[in-house]
Amino acid sequence: PLYLNRQDIVLLESRDIPHTTFLCLQNEDHLWLIRCLLTPSIAYELLQEKVLPVFQLRKIARHINIVEEQFFIKLIITCAFNIMRELIDRTRIRISEKKARNMFGIVDEYGVLEYGQVFIQYTVMRDNKLYLSEEEDYIRKNNIGRCEILTTKVVITKNPCHHPGDLRTFDAVDRPELRHLKDVVVFPQKGPRPHSNEISGSDLDGDEYVVIWHEDLIPQTPNETPYEYDSQEDPPKMNRPITRDDINQVVMEVSEQDCLGTLSNIHLAYADKYGIKSETCTYLAGAISQEVDAAKTGKHPLTNEEIVELRQGLDSKWPDFMKGRGKKEYYPSERIL
């Protein structure tokens, strides 16, 4: 399954996805965990997802009641506790693999997609059922995969995503020329700007995208203007050959000044207090993009003094969902997180 993180949730909220949608998804996840503690077949699905295949779980679960056996009930409780901890600490919301996937992005080499369209063909994953029908058992043993082509609205983003324009909706269409491509999202080569670049400034060099076609998570509002990631400064050039000392210096600077996590937390706090479309959040989104590439460019967008100044702009008050991060004063957040 795919899990929404805080950045995804904040961007979806900014596109007018109701709070009740996220709460319903959370409640569905809670109900599934409760059923895992009571029903052997559901508990088997949980263990299949979370536990390494070190033993033949299906054979064991068919001969004993795993929700009553001491070892397995402790294992189930541990897995459920881990999921709840991730939900509390990281606000991870589970979405079924039937409604969302992580996919690598590629370009339409045939030129058949128009601007605003994507092609997505995904393999239908086998259900982790404890008891299978004869047909399902045959498919599982012979590793037969069935594929489906999406012909609906989809929402796509790529982590890290901090700018409102990083989350975009597209029309998924079917094109016979692309049907040999599976489990990837195909972007068009047409248009004023590559869609991949509009999404967090990616360039299809192995980038992985969050692709969602859950009907309740498709924004009805138009896409926001994407951030101009290419407008950032080029890395400094040297008028002499690069030496090993230069490489070592860049590595040391990147290691010492890595502040990606700090900037992400500050951005999250500003987004909660002033809205993700505020000027400061837009500025931070660009800075975070540069910080992600700092290992390649050798350039950090903000100094420690500037980061301290941004912290002071919050008046030392942080939203309550960021408790446990060394902050002292909190206020009750009125947003979804």
Side-chain angles (χ1 to χ4, degrees):
L2 181 141
Y3 288 88
L4 294 178
N5 60 24
R6 285 177 170 173
Q7 298 165 9
D8 302 329
I9 295 170
V10 169
L11 289 181
L12 286 169
E13 181 193 24
S14 72
R15 296 286 298 274
D16 295 341
I17 299 297
H19 292 186
T20 53
T21 299
F22 301 105
L23 294 176
C24 286
L25 290 172
Q26 278 191 352
N27 290 336
E28 289 176 6
D29 204 11
H30 291 167
L31 179 60
W32 181 71
L33 289 176
I34 293 172
R35 294 174 65 195
C36 289
L37 299 173
L38 302 174
T39 310
S41 59
I42 308 299
Y44 170 79
E45 295 176 9
L46 172 66
L47 295 179
Q48 279 285 81
E49 178 183 326
K50 293 295 182 180
V51 179
L52 292 174
V54 293
F55 42 71
Q56 296 182 350
L57 184 59
R58 185 186 299 274
K59 183 180 293 186
I60 295 173
R62 284 181 174 179
H63 289 83
I64 65 172
N65 189 342
I66 58 176
V67 298
E68 294 181 355
E69 202 279 329
Q70 288 298 313
F71 171 76
F72 283 104
I73 190 60
K74 290 180 180 179
L75 200 58
I76 293 167
I77 292 174
T78 301
C79 293
F81 179 80
N82 180 61
I83 292 175
M84 291 301 300
R85 176 54 60 188
E86 288 184 338
L87 178 61
I88 295 172
D89 292 345
R90 301 165 60 187
T91 323
R92 280 163 51 96
I93 298 180
R94 186 176 187 268
I95 303 180
S96 170
E97 65 275 4
K98 298 177 182 178
K99 296 291 185 178
R101 293 285 176 88
N102 284 310
M103 295 182 177
F104 288 107
I106 62 174
V107 70
D108 169 26
E109 298 285 357
Y110 295 84
V112 295
L113 293 176
E114 299 297 329
Y115 188 73
Q117 296 178 339
V118 292
F119 176 84
I120 299 171
Q121 180 177 204
Y122 68 96
T123 303
V124 178
M125 299 180 68
R126 299 187 299 270
D127 292 331
N128 287 326
K129 295 180 180 179
L130 180 57
Y131 299 100
L132 302 174
S133 64
E134 291 185 4
E135 180 182 358
E136 291 172 332
D137 192 48
Y138 175 81
I139 292 175
R140 182 182 67 85
K141 289 180 179 179
N142 293 275
N143 197 28
I144 299 175
R146 180 171 61 87
C147 295
E148 289 190 6
I149 297 175
L150 291 178
T151 55
T152 183
K153 285 276 189 181
V154 297
V155 58
I156 300 177
T157 186
K158 184 181 81 72
N159 292 311
C161 50
H162 296 88
H163 189 271
D166 290 342
L167 184 138
R168 312 191 70 77
T169 54
F170 299 94
D171 292 315
V173 297
D174 181 17
R175 293 291 181 267
E177 298 88 345
L178 303 175
R179 288 178 182 171
H180 62 286
L181 301 171
K182 301 177 182 178
D183 298 315
V184 293
V185 51
V186 185
F187 291 103
Q189 56 177 276
K190 302 177 182 179
R193 178 178 173 183
H195 285 313
S196 57
N197 184 259
E198 294 174 345
I199 303 172
S200 302
S202 59
D203 50 9
L204 298 181
D205 60 347
D207 295 318
E208 191 172 349
Y209 296 85
V210 174
V211 182
I212 303 171
W213 57 95
H214 193 296
E215 54 276 3
D216 294 333
L217 294 176
I218 304 298
Q220 302 302 314
T221 56
N223 290 327
E224 296 287 340
T225 303
Y227 186 79
E228 291 291 342
Y229 292 99
D230 292 337
S231 64
Q232 299 166 6
E233 297 180 14
D234 294 330
K237 296 182 179 180
M238 304 184 71
N239 297 323
R240 57 177 177 79
I242 303 297
T243 65
R244 184 172 294 276
D245 289 338
D246 295 324
I247 298 174
N248 293 340
Q249 182 65 26
V250 170
V251 172
M252 291 297 295
E253 289 178 357
V254 170
S255 302
E256 291 174 356
Q257 302 179 26
D258 183 16
C259 53
L260 182 59
T262 301
L263 291 178
S264 294
N265 286 334
I266 293 175
H267 176 273
L268 194 62
Y270 269 98
D272 184 82
K273 197 167 187 177
Y274 302 109
I276 197 169
K277 299 179 183 179
S278 63
E279 184 178 346
T280 304
C281 283
T282 302
Y283 169 72
L284 280 168
I288 291 171
S289 175
Q290 293 183 57
E291 184 64 32
V292 170
D293 294 332
K296 295 183 287 186
T297 63
K299 181 180 182 299
H300 293 274
L302 298 174
T303 63
N304 290 332
E305 291 75 17
E306 290 173 320
I307 294 176
V308 171
E309 186 177 343
L310 285 169
R311 286 178 177 273
Q312 293 173 347
L314 295 169
D315 299 326
S316 300
K317 294 182 180 180
W318 300 78
D320 53 2
F321 59 81
M322 299 184 75
K323 285 184 178 180
R325 297 179 180 273
K327 319 295 188 301
K328 293 184 178 180
E329 293 188 42
Y330 305 95
Y331 64 88
S333 173
E334 296 181 358
R335 301 183 188 272
I336 181 60
L337 294 179

mmCIF file of all heavy atoms in Angstrom, residues 242-258 291 293-300:
data_model
loop_
_atom_site.group_PDB
_atom_site.id
_atom_site.type_symbol
_atom_site.label_atom_id
_atom_site.label_comp_id
_atom_site.label_asym_id
_atom_site.label_seq_id
_atom_site.Cartn_x
_atom_site.Cartn_y
_atom_site.Cartn_z
ATOM 1 N N ILE A 242 39.575 20.538 -11.258
ATOM 2 C CA ILE A 242 39.070 20.125 -9.951
ATOM 3 C C ILE A 242 40.049 19.133 -9.329
ATOM 4 O O ILE A 242 40.488 18.171 -9.980
ATOM 5 C CB ILE A 242 37.681 19.477 -10.079
ATOM 6 C CG1 ILE A 242 36.705 20.434 -10.761
ATOM 7 C CG2 ILE A 242 37.153 19.065 -8.711
ATOM 8 C CD1 ILE A 242 36.452 21.702 -10.007
ATOM 9 N N THR A 243 40.388 19.371 -8.083
ATOM 10 C CA THR A 243 41.312 18.482 -7.375
ATOM 11 C C THR A 243 40.554 17.660 -6.334
ATOM 12 O O THR A 243 39.393 17.928 -6.029
ATOM 13 C CB THR A 243 42.418 19.296 -6.677
ATOM 14 O OG1 THR A 243 41.812 20.114 -5.654
ATOM 15 C CG2 THR A 243 43.140 20.196 -7.676
ATOM 16 N N ARG A 244 41.245 16.685 -5.780
ATOM 17 C CA ARG A 244 40.627 15.863 -4.742
ATOM 18 C C ARG A 244 40.295 16.695 -3.503
ATOM 19 O O ARG A 244 39.310 16.441 -2.816
ATOM 20 C CB ARG A 244 41.561 14.705 -4.373
ATOM 21 C CG ARG A 244 40.960 13.724 -3.371
ATOM 22 C CD ARG A 244 41.845 12.510 -3.208
ATOM 23 N NE ARG A 244 41.907 11.734 -4.432
ATOM 24 C CZ ARG A 244 41.004 10.822 -4.770
ATOM 25 N NH1 ARG A 244 39.962 10.600 -3.989
ATOM 26 N NH2 ARG A 244 41.142 10.140 -5.891
ATOM 27 N N ASP A 245 41.115 17.704 -3.229
ATOM 28 C CA ASP A 245 40.830 18.570 -2.080
ATOM 29 C C ASP A 245 39.511 19.321 -2.273
ATOM 30 O O ASP A 245 38.767 19.543 -1.306
ATOM 31 C CB ASP A 245 41.973 19.567 -1.882
ATOM 32 C CG ASP A 245 43.243 18.901 -1.367
ATOM 33 O OD1 ASP A 245 43.120 17.798 -0.773
ATOM 34 O OD2 ASP A 245 44.336 19.461 -1.561
ATOM 35 N N ASP A 246 39.222 19.730 -3.514
ATOM 36 C CA ASP A 246 37.946 20.401 -3.788
ATOM 37 C C ASP A 246 36.774 19.465 -3.508
ATOM 38 O O ASP A 246 35.761 19.864 -2.918
ATOM 39 C CB ASP A 246 37.894 20.870 -5.246
ATOM 40 C CG ASP A 246 38.941 21.931 -5.545
ATOM 41 O OD1 ASP A 246 39.198 22.762 -4.655
ATOM 42 O OD2 ASP A 246 39.489 21.918 -6.659
ATOM 43 N N ILE A 247 36.915 18.222 -3.937
ATOM 44 C CA ILE A 247 35.849 17.236 -3.710
ATOM 45 C C ILE A 247 35.658 16.996 -2.217
ATOM 46 O O ILE A 247 34.527 16.972 -1.709
ATOM 47 C CB ILE A 247 36.177 15.919 -4.445
ATOM 48 C CG1 ILE A 247 36.261 16.159 -5.956
ATOM 49 C CG2 ILE A 247 35.133 14.853 -4.130
ATOM 50 C CD1 ILE A 247 36.723 14.950 -6.748
ATOM 51 N N ASN A 248 36.771 16.837 -1.510
ATOM 52 C CA ASN A 248 36.682 16.612 -0.063
ATOM 53 C C ASN A 248 36.026 17.798 0.639
ATOM 54 O O ASN A 248 35.241 17.624 1.582
ATOM 55 C CB ASN A 248 38.073 16.367 0.518
ATOM 56 C CG ASN A 248 38.678 15.058 0.037
ATOM 57 O OD1 ASN A 248 37.959 14.170 -0.414
ATOM 58 N ND2 ASN A 248 39.994 14.941 0.122
ATOM 59 N N GLN A 249 36.346 19.009 0.173
ATOM 60 C CA GLN A 249 35.782 20.204 0.789
ATOM 61 C C GLN A 249 34.264 20.251 0.611
ATOM 62 O O GLN A 249 33.524 20.582 1.544
ATOM 63 C CB GLN A 249 36.426 21.453 0.176
ATOM 64 C CG GLN A 249 35.945 22.766 0.778
ATOM 65 C CD GLN A 249 36.322 22.912 2.238
ATOM 66 O OE1 GLN A 249 37.308 22.325 2.689
ATOM 67 N NE2 GLN A 249 35.526 23.673 2.983
ATOM 68 N N VAL A 250 33.798 19.913 -0.592
ATOM 69 C CA VAL A 250 32.358 19.913 -0.851
ATOM 70 C C VAL A 250 31.657 18.864 0.009
ATOM 71 O O VAL A 250 30.597 19.117 0.600
ATOM 72 C CB VAL A 250 32.078 19.665 -2.349
ATOM 73 C CG1 VAL A 250 30.583 19.425 -2.579
ATOM 74 C CG2 VAL A 250 32.544 20.839 -3.179
ATOM 75 N N VAL A 251 32.257 17.670 0.101
ATOM 76 C CA VAL A 251 31.664 16.604 0.913
ATOM 77 C C VAL A 251 31.575 17.030 2.374
ATOM 78 O O VAL A 251 30.553 16.811 3.049
ATOM 79 C CB VAL A 251 32.474 15.301 0.769
ATOM 80 C CG1 VAL A 251 31.989 14.254 1.763
ATOM 81 C CG2 VAL A 251 32.367 14.759 -0.651
ATOM 82 N N MET A 252 32.616 17.667 2.878
ATOM 83 C CA MET A 252 32.613 18.112 4.270
ATOM 84 C C MET A 252 31.557 19.192 4.500
ATOM 85 O O MET A 252 30.843 19.173 5.509
ATOM 86 C CB MET A 252 33.997 18.647 4.641
ATOM 87 C CG MET A 252 35.076 17.578 4.720
ATOM 88 S SD MET A 252 34.732 16.357 6.004
ATOM 89 C CE MET A 252 34.846 17.381 7.470
ATOM 90 N N GLU A 253 31.435 20.119 3.566
ATOM 91 C CA GLU A 253 30.444 21.189 3.721
ATOM 92 C C GLU A 253 29.024 20.639 3.691
ATOM 93 O O GLU A 253 28.164 21.058 4.471
ATOM 94 C CB GLU A 253 30.630 22.230 2.616
ATOM 95 C CG GLU A 253 31.892 23.072 2.768
ATOM 96 C CD GLU A 253 32.056 24.061 1.628
ATOM 97 O OE1 GLU A 253 31.205 24.024 0.710
ATOM 98 O OE2 GLU A 253 33.012 24.853 1.653
ATOM 99 N N VAL A 254 28.779 19.694 2.783
ATOM 100 C CA VAL A 254 27.446 19.093 2.706
ATOM 101 C C VAL A 254 27.125 18.347 3.996
ATOM 102 O O VAL A 254 26.014 18.421 4.529
ATOM 103 C CB VAL A 254 27.353 18.156 1.484
ATOM 104 C CG1 VAL A 254 26.068 17.347 1.530
ATOM 105 C CG2 VAL A 254 27.420 18.957 0.193
ATOM 106 N N SER A 255 28.116 17.623 4.525
ATOM 107 C CA SER A 255 27.898 16.855 5.753
ATOM 108 C C SER A 255 27.657 17.766 6.946
ATOM 109 O O SER A 255 26.818 17.482 7.806
ATOM 110 C CB SER A 255 29.103 15.944 6.026
ATOM 111 O OG SER A 255 29.327 15.071 4.943
ATOM 112 N N GLU A 256 28.384 18.869 7.011
ATOM 113 C CA GLU A 256 28.280 19.767 8.158
ATOM 114 C C GLU A 256 27.013 20.612 8.120
ATOM 115 O O GLU A 256 26.438 20.928 9.157
ATOM 116 C CB GLU A 256 29.503 20.689 8.209
ATOM 117 C CG GLU A 256 30.805 19.966 8.546
ATOM 118 C CD GLU A 256 32.008 20.892 8.453
ATOM 119 O OE1 GLU A 256 31.805 22.064 8.060
ATOM 120 O OE2 GLU A 256 33.122 20.454 8.770
ATOM 121 N N GLN A 257 26.559 20.979 6.934
ATOM 122 C CA GLN A 257 25.478 21.949 6.820
ATOM 123 C C GLN A 257 24.166 21.333 6.345
ATOM 124 O O GLN A 257 23.270 22.047 5.920
ATOM 125 C CB GLN A 257 25.887 23.062 5.848
ATOM 126 C CG GLN A 257 27.149 23.796 6.251
ATOM 127 C CD GLN A 257 27.533 24.874 5.253
ATOM 128 O OE1 GLN A 257 26.690 25.405 4.545
ATOM 129 N NE2 GLN A 257 28.811 25.190 5.192
ATOM 130 N N ASP A 258 24.053 20.017 6.402
ATOM 131 C CA ASP A 258 22.816 19.384 5.951
ATOM 132 C C ASP A 258 21.656 19.815 6.857
ATOM 133 O O ASP A 258 21.588 19.441 8.023
ATOM 134 C CB ASP A 258 22.973 17.862 5.980
ATOM 135 C CG ASP A 258 21.734 17.155 5.435
ATOM 136 O OD1 ASP A 258 20.929 17.835 4.777
ATOM 137 O OD2 ASP A 258 21.585 15.944 5.669
ATOM 138 N N GLU A 291 18.412 22.798 -1.345
ATOM 139 C CA GLU A 291 19.092 22.000 -0.322
ATOM 140 C C GLU A 291 19.140 20.526 -0.720
ATOM 141 O O GLU A 291 20.122 19.827 -0.446
ATOM 142 C CB GLU A 291 18.376 22.162 1.020
ATOM 143 C CG GLU A 291 19.046 21.451 2.181
ATOM 144 C CD GLU A 291 20.426 22.002 2.489
ATOM 145 O OE1 GLU A 291 20.650 23.215 2.283
ATOM 146 O OE2 GLU A 291 21.290 21.216 2.928
ATOM 147 N N ASP A 293 19.494 19.433 -3.676
ATOM 148 C CA ASP A 293 20.549 19.310 -4.687
ATOM 149 C C ASP A 293 21.904 19.796 -4.195
ATOM 150 O O ASP A 293 22.853 19.883 -4.986
ATOM 151 C CB ASP A 293 20.166 20.105 -5.943
ATOM 152 C CG ASP A 293 18.952 19.516 -6.643
ATOM 153 O OD1 ASP A 293 18.746 18.294 -6.522
ATOM 154 O OD2 ASP A 293 18.212 20.274 -7.300
ATOM 155 N N ALA A 294 22.006 20.126 -2.908
ATOM 156 C CA ALA A 294 23.258 20.685 -2.388
ATOM 157 C C ALA A 294 24.428 19.728 -2.556
ATOM 158 O O ALA A 294 25.569 20.149 -2.772
ATOM 159 C CB ALA A 294 23.092 21.061 -0.916
ATOM 160 N N ALA A 295 24.148 18.435 -2.471
ATOM 161 C CA ALA A 295 25.232 17.459 -2.628
ATOM 162 C C ALA A 295 25.814 17.495 -4.039
ATOM 163 O O ALA A 295 26.989 17.175 -4.243
ATOM 164 C CB ALA A 295 24.720 16.062 -2.307
ATOM 165 N N LYS A 296 24.986 17.896 -5.019
ATOM 166 C CA LYS A 296 25.466 17.962 -6.406
ATOM 167 C C LYS A 296 26.018 19.338 -6.754
ATOM 168 O O LYS A 296 26.978 19.446 -7.518
ATOM 169 C CB LYS A 296 24.320 17.598 -7.362
ATOM 170 C CG LYS A 296 23.844 16.164 -7.235
ATOM 171 C CD LYS A 296 22.772 15.837 -8.244
ATOM 172 C CE LYS A 296 21.455 16.488 -7.905
ATOM 173 N NZ LYS A 296 20.353 16.062 -8.801
ATOM 174 N N THR A 297 25.401 20.384 -6.204
ATOM 175 C CA THR A 297 25.823 21.739 -6.559
ATOM 176 C C THR A 297 26.861 22.311 -5.612
ATOM 177 O O THR A 297 27.596 23.228 -5.975
ATOM 178 C CB THR A 297 24.606 22.677 -6.572
ATOM 179 O OG1 THR A 297 24.047 22.753 -5.245
ATOM 180 C CG2 THR A 297 23.538 22.168 -7.530
ATOM 181 N N GLY A 298 26.910 21.776 -4.383
ATOM 182 C CA GLY A 298 27.833 22.311 -3.393
ATOM 183 C C GLY A 298 27.383 23.633 -2.806
ATOM 184 O O GLY A 298 28.141 24.293 -2.091
ATOM 185 N N LYS A 299 26.136 24.026 -3.067
ATOM 186 C CA LYS A 299 25.642 25.324 -2.609
ATOM 187 C C LYS A 299 24.451 25.127 -1.682
ATOM 188 O O LYS A 299 23.474 24.474 -2.040
ATOM 189 C CB LYS A 299 25.222 26.186 -3.803
ATOM 190 C CG LYS A 299 24.712 27.568 -3.419
ATOM 191 C CD LYS A 299 24.324 28.355 -4.656
ATOM 192 C CE LYS A 299 23.855 29.766 -4.286
ATOM 193 N NZ LYS A 299 22.676 29.758 -3.414
ATOM 194 N N HIS A 300 24.547 25.702 -0.481
ATOM 195 C CA HIS A 300 23.435 25.681 0.459
ATOM 196 C C HIS A 300 22.677 27.003 0.364
ATOM 197 O O HIS A 300 23.288 28.080 0.350
ATOM 198 C CB HIS A 300 23.942 25.466 1.887
ATOM 199 C CG HIS A 300 24.544 24.114 2.103
ATOM 200 N ND1 HIS A 300 23.798 23.010 2.447
ATOM 201 C CD2 HIS A 300 25.831 23.686 1.993
ATOM 202 C CE1 HIS A 300 24.596 21.961 2.559
ATOM 203 N NE2 HIS A 300 25.828 22.341 2.289
#
